[in-house]
Amino acid sequence: MRKLLAAVAAAAVLLAPAIVQAQSPIVVKFSHVVANDTPKGKGALKFKELAEKYTDGKVKVEVYPNSTLYKDKEEIEALQLGSVQMLAPSTAKFAPLGIKEFEALDLPWLFKDEQTYANAMKGTVGKWLFQKLEAKGITGLAYWDNGFHMVSANRPLMKPTDFQGLKFRISGSKIADQYFRIMGSIPQIMAFSEVYQALQTGVVDGCENTASNYLTQKFYEVQKDITVSYHAHLQYAVIVNSKFWSGLPPDIRAQLDKAMAEATDYTNSIARQENEDALAEIKKTGKTNLHYLTEADRKAWQEAMQPTYKWAKGRVGQEVLDLLAKELDVKMN
Ligand code: LMR
């Protein structure tokens, strides 16, 4: 009897780690600043669904949307500290890390259309940019799309001179700072979660963003005029804490890679339609006036913003501009 008890006790000791492991899944906290009902929000939920399915529950993904966990700048610091494991910030938000090259993607009128953007990011430039993150303890997993920016204020923005003297909220990129300055306006960096109130109270006069963000953050309620200008592109880098990621059991990491690849295809396939639907919704509310540029207006904006390219060399460096020029088959000057 004593022997039997000893054997049971020994088996319990041996099994204990397995039981603990089975009871405590690996938690991936995925924080982001937008609503669930946006391309990024839906992408994060898709990743959760697939990651939990492929790992058979060994991984639990907790998605925190709408800046509920961290605001823009804080979330990248939290990732480096390991307080959160996964993020998908817009690429405009890496400058505080001392990485400026991503801002090249914010150049105005850089991508002709969605397809051109998608092809470019699949090429060398996307991987080259991700390498820049490694030294900061961050690993880039994927690029997620959110289409082209609109721009708004409480007056129609149709000619470059309409921007004169207005204060615009920008998300962090010095390239955006530059093109707003060139248009005679005053850009100001502000966290995404603070934009609605800043527009409402007149701390800033206007902003730029995609239709899905205008709709879900209700910016259209506090902006009389939105120009569907599509003057610049908004893209995200899905990133993880490198130490966390490389410390995962290889089989688990492979399953998460698979989930990420599929969540990426899904997000990038819905982004365009999501934004078109969002624009239609905004129109339906009747709370704002939508404006569209004529060919001549667009040309005037492009010409006015063109000096941003020359300025960008000193900011992002020649190398990334050359990589983009090659990928896009265009000349940068
Ligand atoms: C912004 O701050 O405007 C964007 O980066 C928000 C987002 O993540 O789409």
Side-chain angles (χ1 to χ4, degrees):
M1 184 64 187
R2 208 180 279 167
K3 259 192 192 158
L4 184 66
L5 278 178
V8 169
V13 168
L14 278 176
L15 282 173
I19 291 165
V20 169
Q21 215 178 24
Q23 283 171 344
S24 48
I26 298 165
V27 174
V28 177
K29 287 191 185 164
F30 187 163
S31 166
H32 67 80
V33 300
V34 298
N36 277 328
D37 195 14
T38 57
K40 175 160 65 179
K42 290 188 174 178
L45 292 172
K46 177 59 85 181
F47 173 71
K48 172 184 168 67
E49 174 201 320
L50 297 174
E52 293 178 354
K53 184 168 121 194
Y54 294 155
T55 62
D56 217 0
K58 289 194 202 78
V59 168
K60 187 169 181 292
V61 180
E62 295 175 358
V63 178
Y64 298 90
N66 257 327
S67 312
T68 39
L69 209 52
Y70 301 106
K71 289 188 196 174
D72 304 16
K73 223 171 88 188
E74 300 160 4
E75 66 174 14
I76 297 188
E77 284 163 12
L79 186 83
Q80 287 185 296
L81 291 170
S83 317
V84 63
Q85 288 72 38
M86 187 176 281
L87 307 173
S90 77
T91 56
K93 293 182 184 169
F94 288 125
L97 285 173
I99 304 174
K100 301 166 184 164
E101 290 85 349
F102 280 92
E103 293 180 7
L105 304 174
D106 303 321
L107 279 163
W109 319 99
L110 177 65
F111 302 110
K112 201 170 69 209
D113 50 34
E114 280 298 342
Q115 200 49 49
T116 315
Y117 156 77
N119 292 342
M121 296 315 285
K122 278 189 204 130
T124 325
V125 70
K127 291 184 198 86
W128 184 88
L129 285 169
F130 273 163
Q131 278 169 15
K132 299 272 158 205
L133 296 172
E134 287 296 339
K136 308 289 173 186
I138 296 173
T139 300
L141 297 183
Y143 290 101
W144 284 4
D145 189 5
N146 191 10
F148 288 94
H149 281 298
M150 316 194 289
V151 63
S152 61
N154 289 314
R155 69 156 89 138
L157 301 166
M158 301 304 292
K159 309 261 173 271
T161 46
D162 295 332
F163 286 75
Q164 196 69 39
L166 295 181
K167 282 185 256 153
F168 284 92
R169 178 269 174 177
I170 57 167
S171 69
S173 172
K174 283 280 181 224
I175 297 287
D177 181 282
Q178 190 61 19
Y179 63 67
F180 274 112
R181 272 183 208 285
I182 288 176
M183 303 284 267
S185 51
I186 306 133
Q188 191 178 323
I189 296 174
M190 187 181 288
F192 186 61
S193 58
E194 290 162 13
V195 180
Y196 181 91
Q197 207 184 356
L199 292 169
Q200 190 182 37
T201 56
V203 169
V204 289
D205 303 298
C207 65
E208 62 173 359
N209 230 304
T210 58
S212 55
N213 280 341
Y214 269 90
L215 177 70
T216 51
Q217 300 299 319
K218 298 191 163 62
F219 295 160
Y220 63 88
E221 286 182 355
V222 285
Q223 294 280 266
K224 284 203 192 91
D225 297 281
I226 300 176
T227 305
V228 186
S229 52
Y230 297 151
H231 59 281
H233 196 268
L234 176 58
Q235 59 285 319
Y236 307 116
V238 185
I239 54 176
V240 283
N241 176 297
S242 302
K243 215 165 136 194
F244 167 77
W245 198 248
S246 60
L248 287 172
D251 58 324
I252 297 270
R253 198 169 50 240
Q255 285 149 349
L256 294 186
D257 277 334
K258 183 172 175 239
M260 182 52 69
E262 287 175 29
T264 298
D265 285 346
Y266 165 78
T267 310
N268 292 342
S269 74
I270 64 165
R272 193 193 177 133
Q273 193 60 48
E274 288 282 315
N275 278 302
E276 277 176 20
D277 293 350
L279 189 58
E281 282 286 310
I282 292 170
K283 196 171 185 175
K284 227 166 58 191
T285 66
K287 289 197 173 163
T288 188
N289 300 307
L290 294 178
H291 304 281
Y292 294 83
L293 300 179
T294 64
E295 207 40 57
D297 293 333
R298 186 172 305 109
K299 227 161 157 218
W301 286 40
Q302 284 171 342
E303 268 166 28
M305 291 182 178
Q306 185 62 25
T308 314
Y309 281 74
K310 190 148 180 252
W311 183 89
K313 274 184 206 169
R315 171 73 184 169
V316 301
Q318 191 62 47
E319 207 177 343
V320 67
L321 295 177
D322 285 347
L323 283 172
L324 274 170
K326 201 167 156 218
E327 214 69 68
L328 297 171
D329 201 16
V330 294
K331 271 210 177 106
M332 300 260 185
N333 47 34

